[in-house]
Amino acid sequence: MIENEWLEYLKPEFSKPYYKELFDFVKNEYATKVIYPPSGDIFSALDHTSIKDVKIVLLGQDPYHEEGQAHGMSFSVRPGIKIPPSLQNMYKELHDELGLYIPNNGYLEKWANQGVLLLNTCLTVRSGAANSHKGKGWEQFTDAIIKAVNEQDRPIVYFLWGSNARSKKALITNKKHLVLESVHPSPLSAYNGFFGCGHFKKANEFLKEHGIEPIDWQIENI
């Protein structure tokens, strides 16, 4: 359930035909297959970062599909879970840009609590099957989230990494916002433009220019 300020913006979606089909599909998937994240974590990104607090939108594609990884926030894994390769590359970029040390965990709750919306464009996935819930309706729902953020009358930064995230650029029309585009930080593409992109530094400089508290990107060791 969505219970904070997001509900006001997303409530119209719940009565649309696509959402009824999506709800029935997801309910059946959880009843008959192994689905990630746990059902109680589907809207974790919204729970941790209310719309009024969003400073940065970090778009992912769909949840991690291996056991124990996904918990409802893009790129993040809970403490004790091996840091996935894309997040490792994000940490390397943070080290090179800002001199941060590379932590021993991939738990990004600290970012979310500061206003980084860790949003996947698809919010559920079958175990071991990336993109298995693609095209079932989640994209329409998360587009509504992106549009709601776009309508906020204050400067917000969007990290659009990879073709899936970059396809959402058309939804971001507010001239107050900053869109930063790059290839995805995955090992397959990080050396083609993600490394050296400077996005974390550019985002903080943009926030500071507009009188907004920048993000402390350092994830501490556990």
Side-chain angles (χ1 to χ4, degrees):
M1 293 294 293
I2 299 170
E3 296 177 339
N4 59 12
E5 291 85 355
W6 285 107
L7 188 59
E8 173 189 345
Y9 296 88
L10 299 176
K11 200 171 184 179
E13 301 302 305
F14 301 151
S15 59
K16 294 180 180 179
Y18 89 87
Y19 193 86
K20 172 70 165 60
E21 292 179 14
L22 172 63
F23 182 89
D24 290 343
F25 168 77
V26 171
K27 184 178 180 181
N28 182 66
E29 286 284 285
Y30 273 96
T32 59
K33 299 176 179 67
V34 177
I35 304 299
Y36 301 127
S39 58
D41 287 337
I42 291 175
F43 298 118
S44 186
L46 305 182
D47 293 339
H48 280 83
T49 312
S50 178
I51 188 168
K52 64 180 174 53
D53 298 323
V54 174
K55 298 177 183 178
I56 294 176
V57 179
L58 176 47
L59 275 185
Q61 186 163 304
D62 65 338
Y64 296 125
H65 54 266
E66 301 299 331
E67 184 178 0
Q69 290 183 312
H71 65 102
M73 294 194 284
S74 62
F75 294 99
S76 180
V77 291
R78 292 196 187 279
I81 302 298
K82 184 180 178 182
I83 302 171
S86 293
L87 183 53
Q88 289 179 12
N89 287 338
M90 290 160 62
Y91 284 162
K92 288 177 185 175
E93 179 63 17
L94 278 164
H95 172 75
D96 292 345
E97 283 184 38
L98 301 172
L100 305 188
Y101 71 81
I102 296 176
N104 62 5
N105 69 93
Y107 190 43
L108 305 183
E109 184 182 49
K110 178 181 176 179
W111 293 1
N113 290 340
Q114 294 179 84
V116 181
L117 180 62
L118 299 167
L119 181 68
N120 284 313
T121 55
C122 188
L123 299 187
T124 55
V125 69
R126 281 183 199 163
S127 173
N131 280 327
S132 49
H133 285 184
K134 183 179 180 180
K136 301 298 184 180
W138 278 130
E139 293 87 350
Q140 192 169 338
F141 183 75
T142 54
D143 280 358
I145 296 173
I146 296 167
K147 290 174 184 175
V149 175
N150 177 65
E151 291 166 5
Q152 299 302 296
D153 189 32
R154 64 182 193 278
I156 294 171
V157 184
Y158 297 79
F159 290 163
L160 304 185
W161 298 338
S163 57
N164 178 71
R166 294 171 86 167
S167 71
K168 305 300 181 181
K169 186 178 180 180
L171 303 175
I172 307 164
T173 58
N174 191 327
K175 300 300 183 185
K176 290 188 175 182
H177 299 171
L178 174 66
V179 177
L180 297 173
E181 297 181 71
S182 171
V183 298
H184 196 275
S186 77
L188 295 174
S189 56
Y191 285 96
N192 294 325
F194 178 76
F195 289 135
C197 69
H199 285 183
F200 299 103
K201 188 174 183 179
K202 289 175 183 176
N204 272 356
E205 288 173 348
F206 177 81
L207 293 175
K208 285 189 280 189
E209 284 170 9
H210 291 89
I212 301 168
E213 184 73 21
I215 304 300
D216 176 4
W217 292 107
Q218 181 68 72
I219 298 297
E220 285 83 14
N221 283 336
I222 295 176

